[in-house]
Amino acid sequence: MMARDRYLAFANSPFGKKLTGAIGLPQPTPLERFAPGRPDLLGPVIVGAAQGGRLAAPLAELLAAAPVATLFHGEYAGWTDIAAQHRLMTGRFDAKSSGTVGSAVFDATGIADPDDLAAIYRFFHDTIRSIARNGRILVLGTPPEDAPNLAGRIAQRALEGIVRSLGKEAQHNIAAQLLYVAPGAEGAANSSLRFFLSPRSAYVSGQVVRIGKPVAQDTDGYDSHAPHAGRTVLVTGAARGIGAAIAEVFARDGAKVICLDVPQSTADLLALAQRIGGERLTLDITAPEAPKTIVEDAMARGGYDVVVHNAGITRDKTIANMTPDAWNIVMNVNLVSALRITEALLDADALKPNGRVVCVSSIAGNAGNLGQTNYAASKAGVIGMVQGFAPVLAARGATINAVAPGFIETQMTNAIPLTIREAGRRMNAMAQGGQPVDVAETISWFADPASVGLNGNVVRVCGQSLIGA
Ligand SMILES: NC(=O)c1ccc[n+]([C@@H]2O[C@H](COP(=O)([O-])OP(=O)(O)OC[C@H]3O[C@@H](n4cnc5c(N)ncnc54)[C@H](O)[C@@H]3O)[C@@H](O)[C@H]2O)c1
Protein backbone atom coordinates (compact mmCIF):
# COMPACT_ATOMS: atom_id res chain seq x y z
CA MET A 1 0.00 0.00 0.00
CA MET A 2 1.27 3.43 -0.91
CA ALA A 3 1.74 5.85 1.96
CA ARG A 4 -1.01 8.48 2.18
CA ASP A 5 -0.47 12.05 3.18
CA ARG A 6 -3.47 12.47 5.50
CA TYR A 7 -2.29 15.89 6.64
CA LEU A 8 -2.41 17.21 3.05
CA ALA A 9 -6.04 16.11 2.77
CA PHE A 10 -6.88 17.54 6.21
CA ALA A 11 -5.19 20.91 5.51
CA ASN A 12 -7.35 21.24 2.38
CA SER A 13 -10.65 20.52 4.10
CA PRO A 14 -12.69 23.59 5.16
CA PHE A 15 -12.09 22.95 8.88
CA GLY A 16 -8.43 22.01 8.34
CA LYS A 17 -7.77 25.18 6.37
CA LYS A 18 -9.11 27.32 9.21
CA LEU A 19 -7.29 25.45 11.92
CA THR A 20 -3.87 25.22 10.21
CA GLY A 21 -4.11 28.92 9.29
CA ALA A 22 -5.05 29.94 12.82
CA ILE A 23 -2.17 28.11 14.51
CA GLY A 24 0.44 28.71 11.80
CA LEU A 25 0.92 25.12 10.57
CA PRO A 26 2.11 24.42 7.01
CA GLN A 27 -0.73 24.72 4.47
CA PRO A 28 0.29 22.56 1.51
CA THR A 29 -2.04 22.30 -1.49
CA PRO A 30 -1.97 19.37 -3.94
CA LEU A 31 0.47 19.82 -6.83
CA GLU A 32 -0.98 20.21 -10.32
CA ARG A 33 0.46 17.45 -12.48
CA PHE A 34 0.45 16.65 -16.17
CA ALA A 35 -2.39 14.64 -17.64
CA PRO A 36 -2.91 13.84 -21.32
CA GLY A 37 -5.20 16.40 -22.89
CA ARG A 38 -4.05 19.22 -20.59
CA PRO A 39 -1.96 22.06 -22.10
CA ASP A 40 1.74 21.22 -22.37
CA LEU A 41 2.99 24.54 -21.06
CA LEU A 42 1.93 26.72 -18.16
CA GLY A 43 1.00 29.96 -19.84
CA PRO A 44 0.72 32.80 -20.36
CA VAL A 45 4.49 33.30 -20.07
CA ILE A 46 6.12 36.60 -19.08
CA VAL A 47 9.53 36.95 -20.69
CA GLY A 48 12.39 39.21 -19.77
CA ALA A 49 16.07 39.41 -20.64
CA ALA A 50 19.28 41.21 -19.86
CA GLN A 51 20.86 42.85 -22.91
CA GLY A 52 22.86 40.52 -25.12
CA GLY A 53 20.89 37.35 -24.22
CA ARG A 54 21.31 34.33 -26.53
CA LEU A 55 18.09 32.41 -25.91
CA ALA A 56 15.28 34.55 -27.30
CA ALA A 57 15.00 32.53 -30.52
CA PRO A 58 14.77 28.99 -29.02
CA LEU A 59 12.34 30.31 -26.42
CA ALA A 60 10.11 32.02 -29.00
CA GLU A 61 10.19 28.89 -31.16
CA LEU A 62 8.97 26.72 -28.29
CA LEU A 63 6.26 29.15 -27.17
CA ALA A 64 4.99 29.58 -30.74
CA ALA A 65 4.79 25.80 -31.24
CA ALA A 66 2.89 25.22 -27.96
CA PRO A 67 1.18 27.68 -28.70
CA VAL A 68 1.05 29.89 -25.66
CA ALA A 69 0.46 33.62 -25.19
CA THR A 70 3.32 35.78 -23.95
CA LEU A 71 3.79 39.07 -22.20
CA PHE A 72 7.09 40.92 -22.06
CA HIS A 73 8.62 42.94 -19.26
CA GLY A 74 8.99 46.65 -20.10
CA GLU A 75 12.81 46.48 -20.25
CA TYR A 76 12.79 43.75 -22.91
CA ALA A 77 12.46 45.99 -25.94
CA GLY A 78 13.77 43.44 -28.45
CA TRP A 79 11.05 40.86 -27.72
CA THR A 80 8.34 42.34 -29.98
CA ASP A 81 10.51 41.78 -33.10
CA ILE A 82 11.32 38.22 -32.08
CA ALA A 83 7.67 37.51 -31.32
CA ALA A 84 6.66 38.93 -34.72
CA GLN A 85 9.22 36.69 -36.47
CA HIS A 86 7.71 33.64 -34.77
CA ARG A 87 4.06 34.81 -35.14
CA LEU A 88 3.74 34.75 -31.40
CA MET A 89 1.03 36.68 -29.59
CA THR A 90 2.62 39.15 -27.19
CA GLY A 91 1.77 42.20 -25.12
CA ARG A 92 3.53 44.41 -22.63
CA PHE A 93 3.25 43.18 -19.03
CA ASP A 94 1.53 45.47 -16.59
CA ALA A 95 1.32 44.33 -12.97
CA LYS A 96 -2.02 46.07 -12.47
CA SER A 97 -3.89 44.96 -15.57
CA SER A 98 -2.19 41.84 -16.99
CA GLY A 99 -3.72 39.35 -14.53
CA THR A 100 -1.91 36.20 -13.45
CA VAL A 101 0.48 34.19 -15.61
CA GLY A 102 1.59 30.56 -15.61
CA SER A 103 5.34 31.14 -15.92
CA ALA A 104 8.04 33.81 -15.84
CA VAL A 105 11.26 33.30 -17.83
CA PHE A 106 14.33 35.51 -17.65
CA ASP A 107 17.19 35.15 -20.14
CA ALA A 108 20.23 36.11 -18.08
CA THR A 109 22.81 34.80 -20.57
CA GLY A 110 23.77 38.37 -21.47
CA ILE A 111 24.71 39.30 -17.90
CA ALA A 112 28.43 40.07 -17.99
CA ASP A 113 29.03 41.81 -14.69
CA PRO A 114 27.70 41.70 -11.09
CA ASP A 115 26.23 45.19 -11.63
CA ASP A 116 24.04 43.80 -14.43
CA LEU A 117 22.31 41.45 -11.97
CA ALA A 118 20.03 44.32 -11.02
CA ALA A 119 18.15 43.55 -14.27
CA ILE A 120 17.01 40.18 -12.88
CA TYR A 121 16.09 41.82 -9.59
CA ARG A 122 13.86 44.30 -11.46
CA PHE A 123 12.21 41.57 -13.54
CA PHE A 124 11.19 39.38 -10.59
CA HIS A 125 10.48 42.36 -8.34
CA ASP A 126 7.86 43.43 -10.87
CA THR A 127 6.45 40.04 -11.86
CA ILE A 128 6.62 37.54 -8.98
CA ARG A 129 3.24 38.45 -7.50
CA SER A 130 1.60 37.81 -10.87
CA ILE A 131 2.69 34.15 -11.09
CA ALA A 132 -0.24 31.83 -10.48
CA ARG A 133 -0.31 28.90 -8.06
CA ASN A 134 1.62 25.88 -9.42
CA GLY A 135 3.43 28.25 -11.80
CA ARG A 136 7.04 28.23 -12.97
CA ILE A 137 10.10 30.45 -12.70
CA LEU A 138 12.91 29.79 -15.15
CA VAL A 139 16.22 31.61 -15.33
CA LEU A 140 18.55 30.94 -18.26
CA GLY A 141 22.25 31.52 -17.76
CA THR A 142 25.68 30.85 -19.25
CA PRO A 143 27.72 28.18 -17.40
CA PRO A 144 30.12 30.27 -15.28
CA GLU A 145 33.10 28.32 -16.67
CA ASP A 146 32.11 29.47 -20.19
CA ALA A 147 31.89 33.17 -19.30
CA PRO A 148 34.58 35.15 -21.13
CA ASN A 149 36.06 36.81 -18.03
CA LEU A 150 36.11 36.96 -14.23
CA ALA A 151 33.23 39.46 -13.89
CA GLY A 152 31.02 37.27 -16.08
CA ARG A 153 31.91 34.14 -14.14
CA ILE A 154 31.01 35.75 -10.85
CA ALA A 155 27.75 37.22 -12.13
CA GLN A 156 26.63 33.96 -13.71
CA ARG A 157 27.44 32.01 -10.55
CA ALA A 158 25.33 34.50 -8.56
CA LEU A 159 22.25 33.32 -10.46
CA GLU A 160 22.20 30.13 -8.37
CA GLY A 161 21.58 32.12 -5.21
CA ILE A 162 18.81 34.15 -6.81
CA VAL A 163 16.98 31.12 -8.21
CA ARG A 164 17.22 29.04 -5.04
CA SER A 165 15.87 31.96 -3.02
CA LEU A 166 13.05 32.56 -5.49
CA GLY A 167 12.07 28.90 -5.12
CA LYS A 168 11.78 29.29 -1.36
CA GLU A 169 10.09 32.68 -1.52
CA ALA A 170 7.50 32.13 -4.26
CA GLN A 171 5.43 29.53 -2.32
CA HIS A 172 2.07 28.24 -3.70
CA ASN A 173 3.79 25.25 -5.38
CA ILE A 174 5.70 27.58 -7.74
CA ALA A 175 8.88 25.83 -8.92
CA ALA A 176 12.07 27.73 -9.85
CA GLN A 177 15.06 26.45 -11.86
CA LEU A 178 18.27 27.70 -13.43
CA LEU A 179 19.27 26.32 -16.82
CA TYR A 180 22.90 27.01 -17.75
CA VAL A 181 23.04 26.79 -21.53
CA ALA A 182 26.57 26.64 -22.96
CA PRO A 183 27.39 28.86 -25.96
CA GLY A 184 26.66 26.74 -29.04
CA ALA A 185 24.12 24.57 -27.19
CA GLU A 186 21.15 26.92 -27.70
CA GLY A 187 19.57 24.48 -30.18
CA ALA A 188 19.66 21.70 -27.57
CA ALA A 189 17.62 23.61 -24.98
CA ASN A 190 14.13 22.84 -26.35
CA SER A 191 13.29 19.67 -24.37
CA SER A 192 14.47 21.28 -21.11
CA LEU A 193 12.57 24.54 -21.65
CA ARG A 194 9.50 22.43 -22.40
CA PHE A 195 9.90 20.25 -19.30
CA PHE A 196 10.49 23.09 -16.88
CA LEU A 197 7.59 25.18 -18.18
CA SER A 198 5.20 22.23 -18.00
CA PRO A 199 3.21 20.55 -15.20
CA ARG A 200 5.50 17.50 -15.64
CA SER A 201 8.14 19.18 -13.46
CA ALA A 202 5.71 19.72 -10.55
CA TYR A 203 7.98 18.47 -7.74
CA VAL A 204 11.34 19.67 -9.16
CA SER A 205 12.49 22.99 -7.72
CA GLY A 206 15.66 24.88 -6.88
CA GLN A 207 17.65 22.89 -9.44
CA VAL A 208 20.61 23.88 -11.59
CA VAL A 209 20.81 22.09 -14.93
CA ARG A 210 23.66 22.27 -17.43
CA ILE A 211 22.97 22.00 -21.15
CA GLY A 212 26.16 21.42 -23.09
CA LYS A 213 27.37 20.46 -26.54
CA PRO A 214 24.84 18.11 -28.17
CA VAL A 215 26.02 14.48 -28.29
CA ALA A 216 23.86 13.70 -31.34
CA GLN A 217 21.57 15.32 -33.87
CA ASP A 218 17.83 15.30 -33.20
CA THR A 219 16.21 12.16 -34.54
CA ASP A 220 13.91 12.50 -37.55
CA GLY A 221 10.18 12.30 -37.02
CA TYR A 222 10.42 13.30 -33.37
CA ASP A 223 7.05 14.13 -31.82
CA SER A 224 7.13 15.91 -28.45
CA HIS A 225 3.71 14.40 -27.61
CA ALA A 226 5.01 10.84 -27.97
CA PRO A 227 8.76 11.35 -27.52
CA HIS A 228 9.49 7.67 -26.88
CA ALA A 229 7.50 6.25 -29.79
CA GLY A 230 9.30 3.26 -31.28
CA ARG A 231 11.91 3.12 -28.53
CA THR A 232 12.79 0.20 -26.28
CA VAL A 233 13.31 1.02 -22.61
CA LEU A 234 14.62 -1.22 -19.80
CA VAL A 235 13.45 -0.29 -16.29
CA THR A 236 14.92 -2.16 -13.30
CA GLY A 237 12.88 -2.49 -10.10
CA ALA A 238 9.72 -1.94 -12.15
CA ALA A 239 7.25 -4.05 -10.15
CA ARG A 240 6.13 -1.28 -7.82
CA GLY A 241 6.70 2.24 -6.50
CA ILE A 242 8.83 4.60 -8.55
CA GLY A 243 9.84 1.87 -11.04
CA ALA A 244 6.22 1.07 -11.94
CA ALA A 245 5.53 4.80 -12.48
CA ILE A 246 8.60 5.06 -14.73
CA ALA A 247 7.37 2.13 -16.83
CA GLU A 248 3.90 3.69 -17.09
CA VAL A 249 5.18 7.12 -18.15
CA PHE A 250 7.47 5.66 -20.85
CA ALA A 251 4.61 3.50 -22.15
CA ARG A 252 2.26 6.51 -22.13
CA ASP A 253 4.83 8.38 -24.21
CA GLY A 254 5.10 5.61 -26.80
CA ALA A 255 7.85 3.23 -25.63
CA LYS A 256 8.03 -0.55 -25.50
CA VAL A 257 9.02 -1.12 -21.87
CA ILE A 258 10.94 -4.12 -20.57
CA CYS A 259 9.96 -4.35 -16.90
CA LEU A 260 12.63 -6.03 -14.78
CA ASP A 261 12.26 -7.14 -11.16
CA VAL A 262 13.05 -10.04 -8.80
CA PRO A 263 11.23 -13.42 -9.03
CA GLN A 264 9.26 -12.67 -5.82
CA SER A 265 7.42 -9.85 -7.61
CA THR A 266 6.42 -11.85 -10.70
CA ALA A 267 2.67 -11.31 -10.17
CA ASP A 268 3.00 -7.50 -9.97
CA LEU A 269 5.43 -7.49 -12.86
CA LEU A 270 3.09 -9.51 -15.06
CA ALA A 271 0.13 -7.26 -14.26
CA LEU A 272 2.18 -4.14 -15.04
CA ALA A 273 3.60 -5.49 -18.31
CA GLN A 274 0.10 -6.45 -19.41
CA ARG A 275 -1.38 -3.09 -18.45
CA ILE A 276 1.19 -1.08 -20.43
CA GLY A 277 1.73 -3.45 -23.36
CA GLY A 278 5.28 -4.09 -22.21
CA GLU A 279 7.33 -7.19 -21.42
CA ARG A 280 8.74 -8.63 -18.27
CA LEU A 281 12.25 -9.75 -17.44
CA THR A 282 12.31 -11.61 -14.13
CA LEU A 283 15.79 -11.31 -12.73
CA ASP A 284 17.78 -10.40 -9.64
CA ILE A 285 20.24 -7.75 -10.86
CA THR A 286 22.85 -8.91 -8.33
CA ALA A 287 22.95 -12.43 -9.80
CA PRO A 288 26.35 -13.13 -11.40
CA GLU A 289 24.74 -13.88 -14.78
CA ALA A 290 22.46 -10.78 -14.72
CA PRO A 291 24.58 -8.54 -17.02
CA LYS A 292 24.83 -11.36 -19.59
CA THR A 293 21.08 -12.08 -19.47
CA ILE A 294 20.29 -8.38 -19.92
CA VAL A 295 22.71 -8.04 -22.85
CA GLU A 296 21.09 -11.09 -24.50
CA ASP A 297 17.64 -9.53 -24.06
CA ALA A 298 18.89 -6.22 -25.49
CA MET A 299 20.54 -7.89 -28.50
CA ALA A 300 17.39 -9.91 -29.23
CA ARG A 301 15.55 -6.59 -29.52
CA GLY A 302 18.19 -4.84 -31.62
CA GLY A 303 19.48 -2.93 -28.57
CA TYR A 304 17.93 -0.69 -25.93
CA ASP A 305 17.34 3.01 -26.48
CA VAL A 306 17.04 3.76 -22.76
CA VAL A 307 18.20 1.99 -19.60
CA VAL A 308 16.81 3.17 -16.26
CA HIS A 309 18.70 1.90 -13.21
CA ASN A 310 15.92 2.27 -10.64
CA ALA A 311 16.08 -0.90 -8.48
CA GLY A 312 17.20 0.04 -5.00
CA ILE A 313 16.96 -1.06 -1.39
CA THR A 314 17.68 0.23 2.11
CA ARG A 315 19.08 -1.69 5.10
CA ASP A 316 19.37 1.09 7.69
CA LYS A 317 21.56 0.77 10.81
CA THR A 318 24.24 2.96 12.33
CA ILE A 319 27.65 1.83 11.13
CA ALA A 320 28.58 0.27 14.50
CA ASN A 321 25.46 -1.91 14.36
CA MET A 322 25.50 -2.67 10.64
CA THR A 323 26.24 -6.24 9.55
CA PRO A 324 28.60 -6.86 6.63
CA ASP A 325 25.64 -8.38 4.76
CA ALA A 326 23.59 -5.18 5.10
CA TRP A 327 26.53 -3.17 3.76
CA ASN A 328 27.19 -5.53 0.87
CA ILE A 329 23.67 -6.03 -0.38
CA VAL A 330 22.88 -2.31 -0.48
CA MET A 331 26.10 -1.58 -2.36
CA ASN A 332 25.45 -4.47 -4.74
CA VAL A 333 21.83 -3.66 -5.61
CA ASN A 334 22.11 0.14 -5.70
CA LEU A 335 25.52 0.68 -7.27
CA VAL A 336 27.64 -2.29 -8.30
CA SER A 337 24.91 -4.00 -10.36
CA ALA A 338 24.09 -0.79 -12.22
CA LEU A 339 27.79 -0.37 -12.98
CA ARG A 340 28.24 -3.96 -14.20
CA ILE A 341 25.10 -3.86 -16.35
CA THR A 342 26.09 -0.54 -17.94
CA GLU A 343 29.61 -1.81 -18.70
CA ALA A 344 28.24 -5.03 -20.21
CA LEU A 345 25.74 -3.14 -22.41
CA LEU A 346 28.44 -0.77 -23.63
CA ASP A 347 30.92 -3.62 -24.27
CA ALA A 348 28.30 -5.41 -26.37
CA ASP A 349 27.30 -2.19 -28.15
CA ALA A 350 23.74 -2.87 -26.98
CA LEU A 351 22.83 0.78 -26.36
CA LYS A 352 21.45 2.27 -29.55
CA PRO A 353 22.62 5.55 -31.13
CA ASN A 354 21.36 8.61 -29.19
CA GLY A 355 20.86 6.17 -26.30
CA ARG A 356 20.20 7.15 -22.71
CA VAL A 357 21.19 5.79 -19.32
CA VAL A 358 19.33 7.29 -16.37
CA CYS A 359 20.25 6.38 -12.78
CA VAL A 360 18.31 6.88 -9.58
CA SER A 361 20.36 8.44 -6.79
CA SER A 362 18.85 10.04 -3.66
CA ILE A 363 19.16 13.24 -1.68
CA ALA A 364 20.70 10.99 0.98
CA GLY A 365 23.56 10.65 -1.50
CA ASN A 366 24.07 14.44 -1.36
CA ALA A 367 23.40 14.98 2.31
CA GLY A 368 24.19 11.73 4.11
CA ASN A 369 21.78 10.42 6.69
CA LEU A 370 21.91 8.89 10.13
CA GLY A 371 21.78 5.09 9.80
CA GLN A 372 22.40 5.18 6.06
CA THR A 373 26.17 4.98 5.54
CA ASN A 374 25.60 2.07 3.16
CA TYR A 375 22.69 3.66 1.28
CA ALA A 376 24.28 7.13 1.07
CA ALA A 377 27.57 5.61 -0.12
CA SER A 378 25.75 3.71 -2.85
CA LYS A 379 23.72 6.75 -3.93
CA ALA A 380 26.73 9.12 -3.88
CA GLY A 381 28.51 6.41 -5.88
CA VAL A 382 25.71 6.61 -8.44
CA ILE A 383 26.52 10.32 -8.87
CA GLY A 384 30.17 9.36 -9.37
CA MET A 385 29.08 6.80 -11.93
CA VAL A 386 27.13 9.42 -13.88
CA GLN A 387 30.02 11.86 -13.82
CA GLY A 388 32.57 9.20 -14.71
CA PHE A 389 30.58 7.71 -17.58
CA ALA A 390 29.41 11.04 -19.09
CA PRO A 391 32.42 11.52 -21.41
CA VAL A 392 32.43 7.82 -22.34
CA LEU A 393 28.79 7.98 -23.40
CA ALA A 394 29.20 11.34 -25.15
CA ALA A 395 31.89 9.75 -27.32
CA ARG A 396 29.26 7.20 -28.43
CA GLY A 397 26.59 9.82 -29.05
CA ALA A 398 24.69 8.86 -25.88
CA THR A 399 24.13 10.41 -22.44
CA ILE A 400 23.94 9.44 -18.75
CA ASN A 401 22.21 11.46 -16.03
CA ALA A 402 20.68 10.87 -12.63
CA VAL A 403 17.65 11.92 -10.65
CA ALA A 404 17.99 12.28 -6.89
CA PRO A 405 14.53 11.90 -5.33
CA GLY A 406 13.73 13.47 -1.98
CA PHE A 407 10.70 12.21 -0.05
CA ILE A 408 8.51 10.25 -2.47
CA GLU A 409 5.32 8.49 -1.30
CA THR A 410 6.15 4.76 -1.74
CA GLN A 411 6.47 1.59 0.32
CA MET A 412 10.11 2.55 0.95
CA THR A 413 9.12 5.79 2.71
CA ASN A 414 6.05 4.20 4.29
CA ALA A 415 8.49 2.06 6.29
CA ILE A 416 10.06 5.13 7.97
CA PRO A 417 8.93 5.73 11.61
CA LEU A 418 6.02 8.21 11.76
CA THR A 419 7.69 11.31 13.24
CA ILE A 420 10.75 11.09 10.99
CA ARG A 421 8.44 10.41 8.04
CA GLU A 422 6.30 13.46 8.78
CA ALA A 423 9.41 15.69 9.11
CA GLY A 424 10.81 14.36 5.81
CA ARG A 425 7.53 15.06 4.06
CA ARG A 426 7.18 18.67 5.20
CA MET A 427 10.79 19.91 5.07
CA ASN A 428 10.64 21.23 1.53
CA ALA A 429 9.35 24.32 -0.24
CA MET A 430 6.08 22.52 -1.16
CA ALA A 431 5.49 21.09 2.35
CA GLN A 432 4.55 17.66 0.94
CA GLY A 433 6.07 14.47 -0.42
CA GLY A 434 6.33 13.84 -4.14
CA GLN A 435 4.58 11.06 -6.06
CA PRO A 436 6.40 8.35 -8.04
CA VAL A 437 5.14 9.98 -11.24
CA ASP A 438 7.16 13.13 -10.43
CA VAL A 439 10.38 11.10 -10.56
CA ALA A 440 9.17 9.26 -13.66
CA GLU A 441 8.46 12.47 -15.61
CA THR A 442 11.95 13.77 -14.79
CA ILE A 443 13.55 10.54 -15.98
CA SER A 444 11.48 10.70 -19.17
CA TRP A 445 12.81 14.24 -19.83
CA PHE A 446 16.44 13.08 -19.40
CA ALA A 447 15.69 10.16 -21.72
CA ASP A 448 13.91 12.28 -24.35
CA PRO A 449 15.62 11.86 -27.75
CA ALA A 450 15.77 15.67 -27.98
CA SER A 451 17.69 15.95 -24.66
CA VAL A 452 20.98 15.75 -26.56
CA GLY A 453 22.68 18.43 -24.47
CA LEU A 454 22.02 16.87 -21.06
CA ASN A 455 24.91 14.71 -19.92
CA GLY A 456 26.38 14.19 -16.44
CA ASN A 457 23.56 16.09 -14.69
CA VAL A 458 22.07 15.16 -11.32
CA VAL A 459 18.65 16.71 -10.76
CA ARG A 460 16.82 16.42 -7.48
CA VAL A 461 13.11 15.66 -7.42
CA CYS A 462 12.50 16.87 -3.91
CA GLY A 463 10.23 19.95 -3.87
CA GLN A 464 13.40 21.89 -2.94
CA SER A 465 14.05 19.89 0.20
CA LEU A 466 16.09 21.55 2.93
CA ILE A 467 18.08 18.33 3.29
CA GLY A 468 21.44 18.47 1.54
CA ALA A 469 20.48 21.56 -0.43
N1 LIG B 1 10.81 6.52 -2.15
C1 LIG B 1 11.68 7.50 -1.95
O1 LIG B 1 11.37 8.46 -1.25
C2 LIG B 1 13.04 7.47 -2.58
C3 LIG B 1 13.90 8.55 -2.32
C4 LIG B 1 15.14 8.57 -2.90
C5 LIG B 1 15.53 7.56 -3.75
N2 LIG B 1 14.70 6.50 -3.99
C6 LIG B 1 15.18 5.45 -4.89
O2 LIG B 1 14.21 5.20 -5.90
C7 LIG B 1 14.31 3.85 -6.34
C8 LIG B 1 12.93 3.18 -6.25
O3 LIG B 1 12.49 3.26 -4.91
P1 LIG B 1 11.00 2.93 -4.42
O4 LIG B 1 10.69 3.88 -3.34
O5 LIG B 1 10.12 2.78 -5.58
O6 LIG B 1 11.29 1.51 -3.72
P2 LIG B 1 10.41 0.17 -3.66
O7 LIG B 1 11.01 -0.61 -2.56
O8 LIG B 1 8.95 0.51 -3.59
O9 LIG B 1 10.70 -0.53 -5.07
C9 LIG B 1 11.99 -0.99 -5.42
C10 LIG B 1 11.85 -2.10 -6.45
O10 LIG B 1 13.18 -2.58 -6.75
C11 LIG B 1 13.12 -3.99 -6.79
N3 LIG B 1 14.43 -4.61 -6.49
C12 LIG B 1 15.07 -4.61 -5.30
N4 LIG B 1 16.19 -5.34 -5.39
C13 LIG B 1 16.26 -5.82 -6.65
C14 LIG B 1 17.16 -6.66 -7.33
N5 LIG B 1 18.24 -7.16 -6.72
N6 LIG B 1 16.93 -6.95 -8.64
C15 LIG B 1 15.83 -6.46 -9.28
N7 LIG B 1 14.93 -5.67 -8.67
C16 LIG B 1 15.14 -5.35 -7.37
C17 LIG B 1 12.10 -4.36 -5.71
O11 LIG B 1 11.62 -5.68 -5.87
C18 LIG B 1 11.04 -3.29 -5.91
O12 LIG B 1 10.06 -3.68 -6.84
C19 LIG B 1 15.36 3.19 -5.44
O13 LIG B 1 16.60 3.19 -6.12
C20 LIG B 1 15.40 4.11 -4.24
O14 LIG B 1 16.64 4.04 -3.57
C21 LIG B 1 13.46 6.43 -3.42
Side-chain angles (χ1 to χ4, degrees):
M1 265 280 294
M2 186 175 292
R4 287 240 169 77
D5 186 349
R6 293 203 172 87
Y7 179 82
L8 181 65
F10 170 71
N12 283 281
S13 68
F15 173 67
K17 247 186 213 156
K18 252 193 211 152
L19 184 71
T20 52
I23 59 176
L25 287 172
Q27 292 190 293
T29 56
L31 295 174
E32 241 173 62
R33 298 186 164 87
F34 174 76
R38 288 223 184 125
D40 279 349
L41 302 189
L42 294 158
V45 180
I46 310 181
V47 295
Q51 268 186 10
R54 294 180 281 113
L55 290 162
L59 185 59
E61 202 174 298
L62 172 83
L63 300 174
V68 65
T70 63
L71 295 162
F72 63 97
H73 184 251
E75 288 184 29
Y76 196 0
W79 179 255
T80 47
D81 285 347
I82 292 155
Q85 277 164 27
H86 290 84
R87 295 167 196 226
L88 185 59
M89 232 177 24
T90 202
R92 193 185 166 109
F93 168 73
D94 179 272
K96 290 203 182 83
S97 61
S98 293
T100 56
V101 297
S103 310
V105 184
F106 188 83
D107 178 0
T109 52
I111 289 183
D113 191 277
D115 286 341
D116 297 347
L117 289 165
I120 189 169
Y121 152 74
R122 290 192 295 274
F123 177 77
F124 286 108
H125 172 79
D126 295 347
T127 61
I128 197 155
R129 287 204 179 105
S130 299
I131 304 172
R133 248 169 212 289
N134 294 291
R136 297 287 183 273
I137 287 171
L138 200 51
V139 174
L140 312 172
T142 298
E145 59 277 16
D146 290 328
N149 53 35
L150 182 65
R153 258 186 117 121
I154 295 168
Q156 289 295 327
R157 181 62 181 79
L159 297 175
E160 282 199 29
I162 298 168
V163 171
R164 292 211 167 98
S165 296
L166 285 171
K168 291 182 176 171
E169 222 173 85
Q171 299 184 324
H172 310 301
N173 296 344
I174 295 170
Q177 336 288 341
L178 171 59
L179 298 191
Y180 278 133
V181 183
E186 294 82 3
N190 186 285
S191 66
S192 301
L193 293 171
R194 193 168 357 103
F195 176 67
F196 285 114
L197 292 177
S198 89
R200 295 171 203 257
S201 53
Y203 199 58
V204 184
S205 191
Q207 299 308 293
V208 179
V209 175
R210 282 178 155 71
I211 301 174
K213 204 170 142 240
V215 297
Q217 296 304 313
D218 255 3
T219 39
D220 291 338
Y222 168 76
D223 171 6
S224 66
H225 293 107
H228 300 299
R231 301 172 96 211
T232 308
V233 178
L234 174 75
V235 179
T236 71
R240 66 179 204 195
I242 295 173
I246 298 168
E248 278 164 357
V249 163
F250 274 103
R252 178 198 72 193
D253 292 347
K256 175 80 163 176
V257 184
I258 317 304
C259 308
L260 182 155
D261 213 299
V262 291
Q264 299 90 295
S265 48
T266 299
D268 287 344
L269 209 52
L270 257 175
L272 172 74
Q274 246 166 25
R275 195 163 71 241
I276 65 170
E279 287 183 39
R280 97 189 139 94
L281 186 56
T282 307
L283 187 66
D284 182 332
I285 53 168
T286 61
E289 72 283 3
K292 187 166 162 273
T293 310
I294 291 172
V295 165
E296 281 167 7
D297 182 79
M299 296 314 261
R301 301 174 193 284
Y304 295 145
D305 294 282
V306 180
V307 175
V308 183
H309 292 299
N310 163 76
I313 58 166
T314 51
R315 293 287 183 277
D316 297 357
K317 278 273 187 257
T318 55
I319 200 159
N321 293 327
M322 190 180 290
T323 62
D325 281 356
W327 174 269
N328 290 334
I329 188 146
V330 169
M331 293 304 284
N332 279 341
V333 174
N334 297 2
L335 178 62
V336 178
S337 303
L339 175 60
R340 285 207 191 112
I341 292 164
T342 306
E343 282 174 341
L345 287 168
L346 294 180
D347 284 350
D349 231 349
L351 190 66
K352 284 203 211 162
N354 201 17
R356 300 279 181 269
V357 178
V358 188
C359 301
V360 179
S361 178
S362 162
I363 62 168
N366 302 89
N369 211 4
L370 191 154
Q372 290 200 315
T373 46
N374 51 356
Y375 185 73
S378 70
K379 294 299 187 179
V382 164
I383 297 173
M385 183 175 144
V386 162
Q387 291 168 343
F389 266 120
V392 178
L393 282 159
R396 294 165 166 252
T399 70
I400 180 167
N401 295 282
V403 292
F407 187 102
I408 306 297
E409 305 282 358
T410 66
Q411 291 189 18
M412 190 182 261
T413 45
N414 205 19
I416 302 171
L418 179 70
T419 43
I420 303 177
R421 182 163 82 222
E422 194 48 23
R425 237 183 213 143
R426 301 294 157 223
M427 275 169 54
N428 59 72
M430 295 172 181
Q432 60 194 288
Q435 293 294 334
V437 70
D438 299 322
V439 181
E441 299 278 16
T442 310
I443 290 175
S444 169
W445 154 66
F446 271 139
D448 192 301
S451 293
V452 286
L454 296 170
N455 194 17
N457 277 276
V458 180
V459 164
R460 295 162 52 124
V461 184
C462 65
Q464 202 178 12
S465 171
L466 299 177
I467 298 167

